[in-house]
């Protein structure tokens, strides 16, 4: 007999009765607020075409490395889960892949994936039995049926999820046509892009050469000269802003910044374009480009997001066969205090610049990030990220950051996901954990109840709107010719 | 008047009432399960000879660096505690040493040693008064009396402790005769060895030259040629497997691995055997040997345990006078993400290989180890170890590891101890903390009660049996001629 | 309508009812104990002159970088807060500065500053409404009125705060005349100095050259010869001891120590005095001087405090305009295990030496500091410091340190503050958090209630008195001619 699926209405609140009572009251005030998602990786064509998704496996399993990495770690082959390789989709029957997934759901016990899945299955699809081997087909058929209906089209779900703002991520190579199509469609959902130029900044990126070529085509600039290269960035930033973007995003291996003279930078750029660059050159160029991006942000007002610290594609064999973003990125120790100094020496006291810092190295929360954000006007802290976007991870973030940086140097939650259906689940987890944290402060006499209520709103909607400048007068989006 | 000694039946459970109720119920189901101890340092001759231990000081104090390091840190001389130096046992009267220990038990307040000692005194010896200066002689006499009885012989305690499996640790120099004797004795206790080749791998180990000599004698191989050296390892691994071993153990300063060509490895080996090696050579050779050991594990199926990160013999003066393992090992920052890559690039996707990683650097739990184990099929995480084998240490392990690696990429508890009488105490602490952790997840709506019950069993017996391959058909132990 | 200001009598105790009950009982026993403040930065002239403070802004805002750094991080200019720059006090009306502060008090929600401020406002000044924009003038006027009264003179507050011991910090350039004046005044308050020689040890310190000059004058030694330099230190240490000092303090960038031969040290010293030193020379000289200071401590019995790990004056522009100690120091990753070895190899087993270690890098609590202090007789651990002198910071310290080092290798609390009025608040926070931690151990069956009561006293008064040798027969302070 299948097990019932039932979401505990008090889930994630602290168990202690008085604290839980306070948390519940705080949560009641913010549970219904719109979802603001200023950083994520959903596909904008979902919203421009508004086409139905095909099936459970292709929507929920094949693209979600949070899910398949866990099964892979226990010896399940990616082919058996319909994860595409460089050769394309494996021949596996999607229903068989779904069954394999269903047999292994016990692996997720105690993980945020388990909570997200329960929320998606229970709240989005209305299941009242849990997914396991015995219910795999029932799930597969029901999900597919629902996905074929109007109520499960992307825009319908966007509205149902009460999403007030959704940012996607595109590169300098992208023509932003889905965003223009969304805008021109008359649909009122606010879906905007984010400028993520890694592929034309990181010469160690396997797509660098190709991306540079498109970068040149799209901008008409001589991107192989230093001045032309910078001008091309300016043009594309303007395109992105015109399409509604308020932020840029930079996913570098480290947080290193540099502050070279124009001559030095130009010389380095020439080396990068030659065949003679070393890993040190590549690192220095990325470092210099963070500072160049900061300079442009001072000009155009775009918020910078810096996401360092991931060792990409750690599994050499898997990268060979399956390419990037297959669950094989591993966090590394990351320094900020030395790394950011060159940039901060140039722009640290600017109130025109806003930089949001993320980390995969929790040891820097209390030691480096909170002291930096609690001092520099231009710095704010992004939420606990990726592997740390979890109940315990969020708690550690608040516990280790708040006492030095306060709440007001943080920027609310972001979901950072390509798993669209999990967005409400992820924001709900964050709201619950934040309310639980505030409730503990109230229960311990460290915060008054009315302060906690104000903060619950700020952590959910207020700070994120302000940090990402969502309510500032933006240039009207135009359907720019790419 | 002496203070009563009384163990709280609810000890180590969370204080919150509902959570405690859940923890208590979970614990009731696993408290009586057999002890599986797959990694430890007890002396196999205890079980081969089954001789009575001599006295309280020599059993409980002199050999236990957890205990005497704390007194030493407060200015008590090791001689006064009957800790042997290079010159042998000091002349101190063991009873006097015991009194000195008894006067200082307050130092252990808040430490796991205090809990282990209370368990040993209360449960194993049946004391109902606490140990302090006033009860020192009563304790000393009573313990010595009991140790002289049949009920306190090693095998009797092994049975009374309900130990289902106990691994010891031996090196390539060992002849394993106690293990053969145990097997040939007809006693049914399952005591097996573990292959720990550090002394013939680490040229910086003070016993390297001597160990190599015995290695040559025991194997009949030319261990001073690279091929002979590897062949000798293969022979001894086979001997160990024949004596029941299912695992190897590697206690290196770092987790570095390497993947040299055969030529490079051979050249490095020649350097190591010369007088001209540098610390870098020593490190690279250890690194290469981890990969060689992994290659042999792929062949023979032995589970690899890697325990890096201890700065051995930090106290130079003490090492001079007293030698190694005297409580002067200090953990260091340890990298895994770069260190393991060479080995993983070669064997990372192999499902024939199983590597259990330990650490003394808790900062890698969430940042490196959980992401690695949550991806690579060959990696699993050992429990919180050594200094972190403690209530808070175990909680941090579960809190920081579970959300990314899940429970099923962990391998249950191991006691890693030479203090045989504390084994039930240590496993009891682990079971209580794990049940408390599971109870919190249930109380916070993150896990269902039946899932928690299944997991309590897995964390106690299931995962350890599987990870260490205890139930796989092993080659029948033979009384090999050493 | 202004919000009421009311301190929760149970603040900072764990919310769980049974644990809170235990914490409350423990706290009741230690709440009234005298404040022992063995490490801080108050101004001794306050106590020698006993002059009234001038106004709220100059006492509570302008000098307190904990406060103004938070406002600065949110874009408030330091000039607007009456923070002095190199050019002197800005022209801002102190009342206006106070209003700006009052408008921004919400920024401190969830920070220890909020708790300290509430305590100062409620307990020291007797306010019953909270500080915000609407009460700014009421606060400003009331505080100024009170500060003008006898009851708010420094010595009156010292007595009212029940301070049993207060250490200040002076350098080798100081003549200690305020301390001599205090002693000669017949006032019974025990205010003593601490020897902090950083300015004559750290050649990278911007005051090095000037400090050396005064060092020479004050001692009559040839401080530009190695022997004379060491002799000068000995003289000044004797002066400080004569003025009641029991400790030295060393605020180096890292914990590096060295153990050079006399020749090497002498050569290095000559390099330091030349123009040719490198950052590596500066670091090595600081390292060597820690060992020299340890050698002198073995001679004269002064307790050494080592406070490494701060990247001083990180904000280059601000350092240029405002100088040091303006809230722009940022913690860095800090190693102890390798760094301290040279010193420990020389003095590690000495029971005549006592070194108290502090850190800004919490990752070393469990990994390095607790294992070191739990072994070496000369090492003890200072409390959680600076950014970590906070409820969560203190909890992490106890949770991560106690299991390996025990309580008895720690040294109680110190406030490390120049904000005199916050001293009772800070000690109160520490007592509450410690009692809460002990209460949790009792509630979880890990400590008995009478043990917890003994420990509450030790953590509050006992350990600090012993660690700083406050009750040892000191040489009678003399009014030495400077």
């Amino acid at each position: 007999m299948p097990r019932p699926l039932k979401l505990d209405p008090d889930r994630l609140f602290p168990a202690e009765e008085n604290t839980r009572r306070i948390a519940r009251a705080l949560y009641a005030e913010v549970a219904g607020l719109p979802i603001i998602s200023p950083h994520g990786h959903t596909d904008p064509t979902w919203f421009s075409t508004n086409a139905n998704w095909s099936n459970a496996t292709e929507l929920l399993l094949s693209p979600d490395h949070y899910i398949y990495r866990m099964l892979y770690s226990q010896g399940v082959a990616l082919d058996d889960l319909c994860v595409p390789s460089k050769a394309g989709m494996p021949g596996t029957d999607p229903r068989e892949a779904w069954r394999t997934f269903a047999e292994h759901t016990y692996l997720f016990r105690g993980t945020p994936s388990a909570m997200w899945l329960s929320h998606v299955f229970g709240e989005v699809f209305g299941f009242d039995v849990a997914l396991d081997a015995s219910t795999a087909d029932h799930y597969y058929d029901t999900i597919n049926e629902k996905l074929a209906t109007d109520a499960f089209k992307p825009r319908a779900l966007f509205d149902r999820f009460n999403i007030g703002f959704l940012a996607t991520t595109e590169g300098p190579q992208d023509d932003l046509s889905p965003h223009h199509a969304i805008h021109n469609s008359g649909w009122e959902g606010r879906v905007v892009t984010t400028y993520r130029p890694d592929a034309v900044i990181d010469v160690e990126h396997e797509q660098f050469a190709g991306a540079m070529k498109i970068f040149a085509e799209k901008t008409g600039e001589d991107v192989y000269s230093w001045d032309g290269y910078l001008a091309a960035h300016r043009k594309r930033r303007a395109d992105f802003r015109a399409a509604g973007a308020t932020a840029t995003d930079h996913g570098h291996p480290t947080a290193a910044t540099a502050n070279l003279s124009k001559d030095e930078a130009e010389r380095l750029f020439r080396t990068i374009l030659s065949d003679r660059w070393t890993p040190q050159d590549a690192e220095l160029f990325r470092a210099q480009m963070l500072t160049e991006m900061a300079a442009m942000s001072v000009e155009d007002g775009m918020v910078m997001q810096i996401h360092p610290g991931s060792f990409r594609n750690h599994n050499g064999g898997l990268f060979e066969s399956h390419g990037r973003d297959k669950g094989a990125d591993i966090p590394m120790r990351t320094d900020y205090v030395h790394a950011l100094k060159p940039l901060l020496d140039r722009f640290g006291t600017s109130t025109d610049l806003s930089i949001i810092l993320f980390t995969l190295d929790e040891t820097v929360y209390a030691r480096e990030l909170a002291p930096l954000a609690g001092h520099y006007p231009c710095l704010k802290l992004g939420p606990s990220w990726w592997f740390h976007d979890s109940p315990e991870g969020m708690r550690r973030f608040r516990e280790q950051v708040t006492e030095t940086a306060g709440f007001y140097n943080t920027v609310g939650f972001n979901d950072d996901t390509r798993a669209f259906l999990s967005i409400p689940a992820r924001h709900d987890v964050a709201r619950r954990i934040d309310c639980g944290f505030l409730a503990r402060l109230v229960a311990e006499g460290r915060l008054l109840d009315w302060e906690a209520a104000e903060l619950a709103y700020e952590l959910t909607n207020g700070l994120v709107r302000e940090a990402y400048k969502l309510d500032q007068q933006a240039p009207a989006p135009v359907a720019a010719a790419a």
Side-chain angles (χ1 to χ4, degrees), chain A residues 133-446:
Chain A
S134 77
T135 58
D137 282 354
H138 167 59
Y139 260 73
Y140 191 72
D141 293 331
T142 307
I143 291 174
N144 291 359
E145 261 167 49
K146 297 212 171 188
L147 290 180
T149 64
D150 282 352
F152 279 79
K153 283 175 188 268
R155 291 184 183 179
L157 288 179
F158 187 98
D159 292 340
R160 180 176 156 199
F161 291 169
N162 192 21
I163 298 178
F165 180 90
L166 181 72
T168 66
T169 308
E170 278 78 35
Q173 325 89 292
D174 282 287
D175 66 7
L176 304 180
S177 57
H179 288 281
H180 301 142
I182 291 167
H183 180 68
N184 293 332
S185 73
W187 178 55
E188 292 191 343
R190 191 168 171 195
V191 178
V192 307
T193 183
T194 303
Y195 187 62
R196 180 157 184 168
D198 299 357
V200 299
I201 284 179
D202 183 1
V203 67
E204 295 182 309
H205 195 297
E206 76 277 12
Q207 297 160 356
F208 179 76
M212 283 290 280
K213 217 167 142 238
I214 308 177
F215 194 36
E217 289 161 15
K218 287 249 174 300
T219 58
E221 295 286 343
D222 173 13
V223 301
Y224 303 102
S225 80
W226 179 233
D227 286 335
Y229 176 75
L230 294 178
H233 276 292
R234 281 197 181 85
K235 272 201 182 162
R236 294 262 56 203
R237 291 172 66 107
D239 294 344
F240 276 64
R241 274 184 299 135
T246 71
T248 69
D249 184 30
H250 307 276
H252 290 197
T254 76
T257 64
N259 194 4
L260 304 178
S261 69
K262 203 194 156 186
D263 274 5
E264 292 167 325
E266 199 158 1
R267 212 171 315 128
L268 176 61
F269 184 62
R270 278 198 302 270
T271 306
I272 287 297
L273 295 181
S274 75
D275 288 344
R276 294 164 292 104
W277 56 266
T278 63
Q280 289 72 33
D281 295 324
E283 172 75 352
L284 184 58
F285 187 69
R286 289 187 298 258
Q288 179 61 24
M289 282 309 297
L290 281 186
T291 307
E292 300 292 346
M293 289 290 113
M296 293 186 199
S297 277
V298 170
E299 290 167 22
D300 65 18
M302 288 179 94
V303 174
M304 272 185 95
Q305 301 174 91
I306 305 182
H307 286 85
S310 178
F311 191 124
R312 301 278 170 179
N313 315 311
H314 191 273
N315 186 329
L318 191 71
F319 181 59
E320 199 77 7
S321 61
H322 283 71
R324 60 171 46 225
D325 294 329
K326 290 297 176 296
D329 298 343
I330 309 289
M332 309 181 275
R333 204 155 63 208
T334 309
D335 160 78
Y336 291 79
V337 66
H338 299 94
L340 294 176
K341 191 160 165 47
L343 188 159
L344 291 170
D345 277 343
R346 193 154 151 209
F347 297 114
T349 59
S350 166
T351 47
D352 291 334
L353 180 65
S354 183
I355 300 177
I356 300 174
L357 298 173
F358 294 78
T359 195
L360 291 174
D361 179 356
E362 294 177 308
T363 69
V364 303
Y365 283 160
R367 187 181 64 215
E368 301 179 29
L369 291 185
L372 285 165
H375 169 72
Y376 280 101
C378 62
L379 296 182
K380 293 202 167 42
L381 303 185
S384 53
W385 171 48
W386 196 343
F387 294 102
H388 310 310
D389 170 17
S390 61
E392 303 296 334
M394 291 173 185
R395 274 186 197 152
R396 285 195 291 269
F397 176 77
R398 291 286 175 213
E399 287 174 5
Q400 293 175 26
V401 149
T402 306
E403 295 185 316
T404 291
F407 289 106
Y408 291 86
N409 284 307
T410 64
V411 304
F413 177 67
N414 73 53
D415 52 73
D416 189 36
T417 193
R418 60 197 77 218
F420 180 59
L421 271 60
S422 76
I423 286 181
R426 290 167 189 256
H427 285 261
D428 188 62
V429 169
R431 292 173 189 195
R432 288 171 178 273
I433 291 293
D434 280 340
C435 288
F437 179 69
L438 292 169
R440 181 160 75 79
L441 296 192
V442 173
E444 293 179 0
R446 296 158 69 182

